[in-house]
Amino acid sequence: MFPKLILLDFDGVIIESVGIKDEAFEKLYQNYPKHLPQIMEYHLSHNATIRFIKFRYIAENILNEPYSAKKELELSQKFSDLVFDRIVECPFVEGAIEFLEYFFAKVPLYLISMSPEDELLNVLKLRGLNKYFKQVYSNPVTKSQVFRKILADEQLDVSEVLYIGDTPEDYQAALKVGIHFIGRKSKKEFPQEVTHVCSNMVEVKNLVHFLGHIEFF
């Protein structure tokens, strides 16, 4: 049988936007060439950290500069300016629309993204994706906290829920809560213990069918 609930990441699972945000982050700090390798190492190793926390950490711990609400707003606006149009226009992950079309009428779909709420909701609206999701969670403190809230709201056991993500941090969040996980291979490497990794959402859809057939869920 199918899972009774499917949770999805956005970047790298629904749209091919992972490289866009990495490039924007590098461009955001291009005026700090001596610190840029350290900045990018921090950024790339903290996939599950919201951008505002990254901005503060970089300012205070790498650049040794004062940080303020005004500075945060300035960095956030510059970052959004760098990525928004490209995210609206970038390709869907292969099979993503077909996956959403197939499953959204069968089980509740939830979207969980580290992007700020206004930005995410605007992207979803412009790309015509709002209809697929029962609820959208943006900019969470941790994804595992959101998973637990959804489980409680839906009154489901962890064995009945599937999460699809594209980073090791996504896997760790699912593992922490105990829900099933399928990885979508984008630009982030999964640890060897992740047994289900697919190249695109066509493969994910087929795998969900197969696992359901063998009573994985």
Side-chain angles (χ1 to χ4, degrees):
M1 58 183 293
F2 290 139
K4 293 184 178 180
L5 183 72
I6 298 178
L7 313 173
L8 298 125
D9 185 28
F10 189 54
D11 297 306
V13 171
I14 305 300
I15 61 172
E16 297 283 18
S17 54
V18 174
I20 292 172
K21 292 189 175 182
D22 292 342
E23 291 169 12
F25 214 89
E26 186 170 13
K27 186 171 290 187
L28 191 66
Y29 290 98
Q30 64 184 351
N31 292 330
Y32 299 90
K34 292 182 179 179
H35 297 93
L36 193 56
Q38 187 180 359
I39 290 171
M40 292 306 297
E41 181 181 3
Y42 168 74
H43 162 66
L44 293 170
S45 63
H46 289 77
N47 295 304
T49 303
I50 61 175
R51 68 184 64 163
F52 307 110
I53 292 177
K54 289 184 179 184
F55 295 157
R56 178 178 291 277
Y57 180 90
I58 290 168
E60 295 179 347
N61 296 279
I62 297 178
L63 301 179
N64 295 313
E65 293 183 349
Y67 192 75
S68 63
K70 180 180 178 182
K71 184 67 174 178
E72 180 173 283
L73 184 61
E74 177 186 330
L75 288 169
S76 181
Q77 186 59 56
K78 285 182 178 179
F79 189 85
S80 292
D81 290 344
L82 288 168
V83 303
F84 186 79
D85 288 343
R86 294 183 67 191
I87 290 174
V88 170
E89 296 169 2
C90 74
F92 285 103
V93 172
E94 183 182 355
I97 290 297
E98 292 80 3
F99 182 97
L100 295 173
E101 284 284 351
Y102 182 79
F103 281 108
F104 93 105
K106 294 177 171 59
V107 298
L109 302 180
Y110 282 76
L111 187 70
I112 300 102
S113 172
M114 303 305 293
S115 299
E117 182 177 25
D118 289 348
E119 179 182 301
L120 179 62
L121 293 180
N122 283 336
V123 170
L124 294 177
K125 180 180 178 181
L126 290 169
R127 298 196 71 137
L129 295 173
N130 288 308
K131 67 177 183 179
Y132 296 113
F133 303 109
K134 181 174 181 178
Q135 194 161 348
V136 174
Y137 286 90
S138 59
N139 212 21
V141 176
T142 69
K143 289 189 176 182
S144 58
Q145 288 179 342
V146 173
F147 296 164
R148 291 191 179 98
K149 181 182 186 305
I150 295 171
L151 284 166
D153 291 345
E154 294 282 353
Q155 298 183 322
L156 292 175
D157 185 79
V158 293
S159 64
E160 299 173 308
V161 177
L162 168 66
Y163 177 49
I164 302 165
D166 75 313
T167 69
E169 290 85 354
D170 287 332
Y171 166 66
Q172 291 297 329
L175 186 66
K176 187 174 183 179
V177 177
I179 61 178
H180 297 295
F181 179 78
I182 294 176
R184 189 266 156 163
K185 189 186 301 180
S186 60
K187 295 186 176 182
K188 315 294 182 180
E189 292 295 325
F190 289 107
Q192 290 185 345
E193 65 263 27
V194 181
T195 54
H196 300 299
V197 179
C198 300
S199 296
N200 53 55
M201 294 302 285
V202 176
E203 293 181 9
V204 172
K205 178 175 177 286
N206 292 337
L207 180 59
V208 174
H209 268 288
F210 172 74
L211 294 175
H213 180 69
I214 62 172
E215 298 185 354
F216 184 76
F217 296 102

